[in-house]
Amino acid sequence: MLAPDKIPVLLAPSIENNFFVYSLAGVLAGAVLMLGYQRWKLQVRKIRWQQQADAILDEANREAETLKAQIILEGKEAALQTRTEAEKELADARRILSQRDQKLERRQEQLDNQEEMLRKQQRGLESGQQRLDAQLRKVNEQRQQLSQVQQQQQRLLEQASGMSREEASERLLESLSKELEHERASALIKHKKQLSELVQNQSRDMLLTAMQRFASTHTADSTTSTVDVPTDDMKGRIIGREGRNIRAFEKATGIDVIIDDTPGVVIVSGFDPVRREIARQALTKMIADGRIHPAKIEEVVEEVTKQMKAFIMQKGREAADEVNVPGLHDRLIEMLGRLHFRTSYSQNVLRHSVEVAFISGMIAEMLGMDGDLGRRCGLLHDIGKAADHELEGGHPKIGADTLRRHNEGPEVVHAALGHHDDIVVEHPYTMVVATADACSASRPGARRESLERYIKRMEELESIAKRFEGVQQAYAISAGRELRVIVDSNQASDEKAALICHEIAQAFERELMYPGEIKVTVMRETKFTEIAK
């Protein structure tokens, strides 16, 4: 048995367990009630949502019915409108067809009327043809009668004159030939003058247009062969001890150095313009530096020579690029650059070649030829001048041989060989280049010449003209580009004056070398003087 003091301890857990059970049962009951409440609430919401959905569906059905009725109504209206328009178009088409039918009916009536008129005209032509045949038969008969009469008259004339028909014809032709000889000469002079004026006007317009499109500077470049020295003591340093410096300089450059009593100037002289320029620049450099001895001379000359080669190639490339002539050989570019130091009558040959290239290209384009080929021919026409002091022969032959060796075309080679009219022209580009060369050389300011040479050229023109019979006076004007000739009217007729003018021009072409052209004008005047007493 348990002790009395142990009984409360055993009963305590039992009471706590019952309380826990009751509490758990209450919680479960509350949870069940809550779940039931929530389920009821969801059921109520579901019913409400179903009612709202039914209401929305009903409203949508009502709107759909309304829209359907509206669409059906609009479709009926559109169909009615389309039907109305179709009926209108059908009515218009019927009206147009009716009008066309009326036009066709009128056209048919016109054609019927024209056909009837043609039948009438044909009947008239047939009757006219018959009348014409009758008249032709009558004319033939009259012609035969006339021929017989002419033969009888011819026999009578031959008997009266004592000459046959052939003899009379020969005499008549001889007489007419004498009468027409003067008229033929006059007509020849007139047509020659008109043709000359036409050709001159057209060529002048063409050349003026080409020269106007290429407007180059009129100043002439010239190379110098003098070097300024600051003091006379510098001349002694240039000469050196016992002349060793000047001998070393001349050996290194191939140029003669002339030192005279002229103050402040040393002259370098040589035929090669490139060497002369190298010598001038080297001497200028050494004078500025102040150190002049054989070793320094060789060093400076070698440095300037390298710079000059680069400068020459640069000038050649610039000239080729300026006139747009690609694909040139390096040797040709070098020779073009050397022309920068070459002058002709104080005109820089490289600038002259560039100008000729531009003018040749423009003239070629105006004539319907290849402008690029014309510029190439013009640029390279004087290439031989870069080596004419080194090789034998004139610069046309040297240039042509050089261009041929470097695979230039036959047109370019022939232009270089014949631009001075030394050979028979085989390519039209040669004449184009010759014309452009004359234009460039003869333009104002391009070239300068001495007074003695100018006077000599004027005297040559006048003396050649005075050799011809009948010439009284000859005057050279316009700087030798025009010659006025006065002939004796008693010794020369108009026809002979024209012949003298032609022969003087031919004599100039044979005997003289001149740029451009010379205009020859022959004047014949007859004066009659009487004194009234």
Side-chain angles (χ1 to χ4, degrees):
M1 293 184 63
L2 295 173
D5 56 349
K6 299 290 184 180
I7 297 171
V9 177
L10 295 172
L11 295 175
S14 176
I15 296 172
E16 290 178 358
N17 291 333
N18 293 331
F19 179 74
F20 177 75
V21 171
Y22 294 148
S23 298
L24 181 60
V27 171
L28 292 174
V32 170
L33 291 174
M34 182 61 67
L35 288 174
Y37 175 73
Q38 291 292 335
R39 185 175 180 184
W40 174 80
K41 191 175 181 180
L42 289 173
Q43 188 70 25
V44 172
R45 286 183 179 179
K46 182 178 180 181
I47 294 171
R48 189 181 299 115
W49 289 342
Q50 184 66 36
Q51 292 175 353
Q52 292 177 358
D54 294 339
I56 293 172
L57 183 60
D58 294 339
E59 183 67 22
N61 291 330
R62 287 193 297 273
E63 291 179 358
E65 292 293 335
T66 304
L67 183 60
K68 181 178 178 182
Q70 185 177 357
I71 291 173
I72 292 172
L73 182 59
E74 291 177 354
K76 291 181 179 180
E77 293 177 353
L80 182 61
Q81 185 177 359
T82 302
R83 181 178 178 182
T84 304
E85 293 176 354
E87 291 177 351
K88 183 178 179 181
E89 292 178 356
L90 182 60
D92 293 339
R94 289 176 178 174
R95 186 177 63 256
I96 292 171
L97 289 174
S98 177
Q99 293 175 355
R100 289 182 179 178
D101 291 339
Q102 294 175 0
K103 289 181 179 179
L104 288 174
E105 291 178 357
R106 289 195 296 271
R107 181 67 59 83
Q108 186 65 35
E109 292 177 357
Q110 293 176 359
L111 290 175
D112 294 339
N113 295 332
Q114 291 177 358
E115 185 177 0
E116 183 64 26
M117 290 176 62
L118 288 174
R119 291 196 189 97
K120 293 179 180 179
Q121 291 176 359
Q122 185 176 4
R123 289 193 295 270
L125 288 174
E126 290 176 355
S127 60
Q129 183 67 33
Q130 293 175 358
R131 291 194 299 272
L132 182 61
D133 292 339
Q135 291 177 358
L136 286 175
R137 288 192 297 271
K138 186 177 180 180
V139 168
N140 290 330
E141 294 175 357
Q142 293 176 354
R143 185 178 297 173
Q144 292 177 359
Q145 295 175 2
L146 179 62
S147 177
Q148 294 175 359
V149 172
Q150 287 178 348
Q151 291 176 1
Q152 293 176 0
Q153 290 179 352
Q154 183 176 350
R155 286 193 297 270
L156 292 175
L157 288 173
E158 290 177 355
Q159 293 175 0
S161 62
M163 293 186 298
S164 64
R165 179 179 180 182
E166 290 75 11
E167 293 175 352
S169 299
E170 290 178 0
R171 290 192 180 184
L172 179 60
L173 291 175
E174 183 179 356
S175 176
L176 290 174
S177 177
K178 291 180 180 179
E179 292 178 1
L180 293 175
E181 184 176 356
H182 177 73
E183 297 182 4
R184 182 179 62 182
S186 301
L188 178 62
I189 295 173
K190 179 180 178 181
H191 289 297
K192 184 177 180 181
K193 182 178 179 181
Q194 292 177 352
L195 180 61
S196 176
E197 292 177 354
L198 178 62
V199 172
Q200 287 181 1
N201 291 333
Q202 291 181 350
S203 61
R204 187 183 301 112
D205 293 341
M206 185 179 298
L207 294 178
L208 289 176
T209 303
M211 295 179 70
Q212 183 180 13
R213 288 174 59 190
F214 178 73
S216 64
T217 176
H218 283 220
T219 58
D221 297 331
S222 61
T223 58
T224 181
S225 58
T226 60
V227 179
D228 297 332
V229 293
T231 61
D232 290 340
D233 295 338
M234 183 60 69
K235 292 184 179 181
R237 297 176 63 182
I238 294 173
I239 297 172
R241 183 181 301 176
E242 298 178 357
R244 65 174 187 174
N245 289 345
I246 194 171
R247 285 197 300 271
F249 185 82
E250 290 178 347
K251 181 180 179 181
T253 59
I255 296 297
D256 297 331
V257 180
I258 302 173
I259 302 177
D260 53 14
D261 296 335
T262 305
V265 172
V266 173
I267 300 174
V268 291
S269 175
F271 291 105
D272 191 332
V274 178
R275 290 183 180 180
R276 188 169 64 246
E277 181 66 14
I278 292 174
R280 187 190 69 81
Q281 292 187 13
L283 189 57
T284 303
K285 217 175 237 192
M286 287 187 294
I287 292 174
D289 183 77
R291 295 175 295 173
I292 304 177
H293 52 82
K296 183 66 175 177
I297 290 172
E298 291 180 0
E299 178 185 349
V300 173
V301 170
E302 184 178 357
E303 179 184 355
V304 173
T305 302
K306 292 180 181 179
Q307 294 175 357
M308 184 59 61
K309 288 181 179 179
F311 179 77
I312 288 173
M313 294 297 292
Q314 178 185 353
K315 282 294 182 181
R317 291 192 180 94
E318 287 178 355
D321 294 340
E322 184 176 357
V323 296
N324 193 20
V325 176
L328 291 178
H329 194 275
D330 289 343
R331 173 59 177 165
L332 297 181
I333 293 177
E334 179 187 357
M335 294 181 72
L336 277 177
R338 291 173 68 90
L339 293 179
H340 176 72
F341 302 98
R342 174 70 186 265
T343 58
S344 177
Y345 295 98
S346 300
Q347 184 183 28
N348 186 279
V349 178
L350 180 59
R351 297 313 307 167
H352 165 70
S353 299
V354 171
E355 184 172 348
V356 171
F358 275 114
I359 297 176
S360 299
M362 294 174 188
I363 294 176
E365 290 173 354
M366 292 178 184
L367 295 175
M369 300 161 62
D370 189 353
D372 294 335
L373 183 56
R375 283 188 289 272
R376 196 179 193 92
C377 295
L379 179 65
L380 301 176
H381 81 287
D382 270 346
I383 196 73
K385 288 185 178 181
D388 58 355
H389 59 282
E390 301 174 354
L391 303 174
E392 294 183 358
H395 74 274
K397 183 178 183 303
I398 295 173
D401 294 339
T402 303
L403 295 173
R404 191 180 294 110
R405 285 196 303 270
H406 293 88
N407 300 323
E408 288 294 332
E411 296 87 356
V412 181
V413 175
H414 195 273
L417 183 61
H419 67 277
H420 284 313
D421 297 330
D422 298 332
I423 60 175
V424 178
V425 177
E426 298 177 359
H427 298 281
Y429 291 95
T430 304
M431 292 301 299
V432 171
V433 171
T435 304
D437 181 55
C439 292
S440 175
S442 61
R443 65 179 175 82
R447 296 186 174 184
R448 298 193 296 267
E449 58 182 354
S450 63
L451 177 61
E452 293 79 7
R453 183 176 178 82
Y454 172 77
I455 294 175
K456 182 179 179 182
R457 185 158 62 88
M458 302 285 278
E459 291 177 348
E460 287 179 350
L461 295 174
E462 295 176 356
S463 63
I464 291 175
K466 290 178 181 179
R467 293 200 312 243
F468 292 88
E469 183 182 359
V471 175
Q472 288 183 336
Q473 295 293 335
Y475 302 97
I477 60 176
S478 300
R481 306 201 181 281
E482 185 175 356
L483 184 71
R484 298 286 177 88
V485 181
I486 301 175
V487 297
D488 188 355
S489 59
N490 296 324
Q491 298 182 10
S493 61
D494 289 341
E495 292 79 8
K496 188 174 181 181
L499 182 62
I500 291 174
C501 182
H502 180 67
E503 291 177 350
I504 291 175
Q506 287 186 337
F508 287 163
E509 294 176 358
R510 289 193 306 268
E511 302 177 19
L512 299 180
M513 295 293 294
Y514 51 89
E517 61 182 17
I518 299 176
K519 180 180 179 181
V520 180
T521 303
V522 175
M523 295 177 289
R524 177 182 177 272
E525 183 178 5
T526 303
K527 294 183 178 180
F528 300 95
T529 304
E530 293 288 343
I531 299 175
K533 297 180 181 180

